Amino acid sequence: WYANGQWEETYGWDSREILNAATMPHVLVDNGDGTWTFKQHTWKGREVGDRDSNPTPSFVGRTINRMWAYKGRMCILSDENFIASQVGHFENFYRSTCTQLLDEDPIDIASPNSRGALLGQAMDFDGQLLLFSQFEQFRLESDREGVLSPNTVSIKRVNSYNNAVGVEPTYIGPNVIFVDDFRGRAYASLREYQIDRTFGREIAPSITEHVPELIPSGVYRIMSSSSDNILFLLSEADRKKLWFYNFFNNEEGKVLSAWQI
């Protein structure tokens, strides 16, 4: 349209769109006096283009499974999609111009060959994001300089290990620990996602292989401390117990490990 003495880019006919703040994530604000305020947040809407050139974010009308900040963007997992805000603007999930696709523009891509499983977790691994569904692991790949851009970003399936999406993974050093636990089985297992030292492949061997009937199914929390070389977990099967995993690493990798209750 023509405004202020010049032509300006705007939204198409009947294409103005604003996200519903009531159903979007809310914010918890520290009032500085020992009290907190939980309230709706302000989110930017579509200000240029239309539903084709500047589509609605794919999380709208669906459940947000995970939300976190990464490389200057607010990132969201919803259904099979990875969605990231504009760089430096956590509240904007729409393009700021439709005349060109900028590197800082929002990202919204789906995982390939996901067998319909929802993406539920994301961990920073080996300099990139590792995404988890119930049956598979995906790597979010950026360009050679590590820039996360809609022009170059892609999702690649790298492994097919079972994963309990309701249990947040944790770290042991550079490696990621996640839970393989399905309620149809009596016992859960834990896997350690890592880079194989011999061939450079991404593998996730079980760290409960020698005690397959130690941890009852129903794991709902795992936590670790690399400084204390310990990991512990909680299971709904017995809320009065803690399961501990002690380990010791040196330059050759893990040389000692033991489980206890």
Side-chain angles (χ1 to χ4, degrees):
W1 64 9
Y2 190 79
N4 303 318
Q6 60 183 355
W7 289 101
E8 298 178 354
E9 188 176 6
T10 186
Y11 49 86
W13 178 259
D14 196 29
S15 294
R16 182 76 169 100
E17 186 171 80
I18 300 175
L19 297 178
N20 184 358
T23 59
M24 286 289 288
H26 288 37
V27 293
L28 187 62
V29 181
D30 184 355
N31 298 321
D33 58 1
T35 64
W36 298 76
T37 301
F38 185 64
K39 63 179 183 179
Q40 294 182 8
H41 195 44
T42 301
W43 304 89
K44 292 195 67 174
R46 182 189 296 121
E47 297 179 351
V48 298
D50 54 25
R51 294 172 179 82
D52 295 323
S53 60
N54 197 0
T56 302
S58 61
F59 60 75
V60 173
R62 296 179 171 86
T63 300
I64 292 177
N65 302 324
R66 177 96 194 278
M67 189 173 185
W68 76 105
Y70 180 72
K71 291 190 174 182
R73 300 176 183 267
M74 182 60 70
C75 301
I76 287 175
L77 296 181
S78 180
D79 276 8
E80 302 173 24
N81 285 61
F82 168 85
I83 307 104
S85 72
Q86 183 182 21
V87 174
H89 297 278
F90 289 174
E91 298 81 7
N92 185 25
F93 290 89
Y94 292 89
R95 293 174 60 178
S96 57
T97 177
C98 291
T99 61
Q100 58 182 321
L101 184 60
L102 306 176
D103 285 339
E104 63 265 26
D105 276 345
I107 297 170
D108 197 333
I109 57 174
S111 56
N113 305 318
S114 65
R115 295 187 286 176
L118 309 182
L119 294 177
Q121 300 149 341
M123 302 291 287
D124 194 349
F125 177 76
D126 194 32
Q128 294 181 325
L129 275 180
L130 184 66
L131 308 178
F132 288 82
S133 72
Q134 187 177 11
F135 307 111
E136 294 165 312
Q137 291 74 46
F138 303 87
R139 183 184 285 271
L140 185 75
E141 298 188 333
S142 53
D143 62 19
R144 294 181 179 179
E145 287 73 34
V147 176
L148 195 59
S149 163
N151 290 299
T152 58
V153 70
S154 63
I155 297 181
K156 176 184 177 182
R157 181 166 60 88
V158 291
N159 267 310
S160 297
Y161 294 105
N162 292 335
N163 168 60
V165 293
V167 186
E168 190 69 20
T170 189
Y171 290 104
I172 289 182
N175 300 337
V176 176
I177 304 295
F178 64 98
V179 181
D180 178 354
D181 183 13
F182 289 91
R183 300 306 175 93
R185 299 192 306 221
Y187 297 94
S189 63
L190 269 69
R191 292 186 175 275
E192 184 172 1
Y193 203 96
Q194 58 190 272
I195 302 295
D196 177 63
R197 289 176 174 268
T198 303
F199 300 104
R201 300 172 301 179
E202 296 180 20
I203 59 174
S206 172
I207 61 175
T208 52
E209 184 176 10
H210 58 294
V211 285
E213 297 183 358
L214 176 69
I215 303 171
S217 182
V219 175
Y220 63 91
R221 184 73 184 274
I222 57 174
M223 296 184 67
S224 65
S225 171
S226 295
S227 59
D228 295 324
N229 293 333
I230 192 170
L231 175 147
F232 74 88
L233 61 87
L234 303 171
S235 174
E236 294 175 351
D238 191 341
R239 292 181 176 268
K240 295 182 180 180
K241 292 181 180 179
L242 285 174
W243 285 262
F244 289 92
Y245 179 67
N246 299 96
F247 57 92
F248 177 73
N249 293 339
N250 62 16
E251 63 276 3
E252 299 297 326
K254 188 184 299 178
V255 293
L256 291 173
S257 65
W259 281 97
Q260 59 181 307
I261 302 177

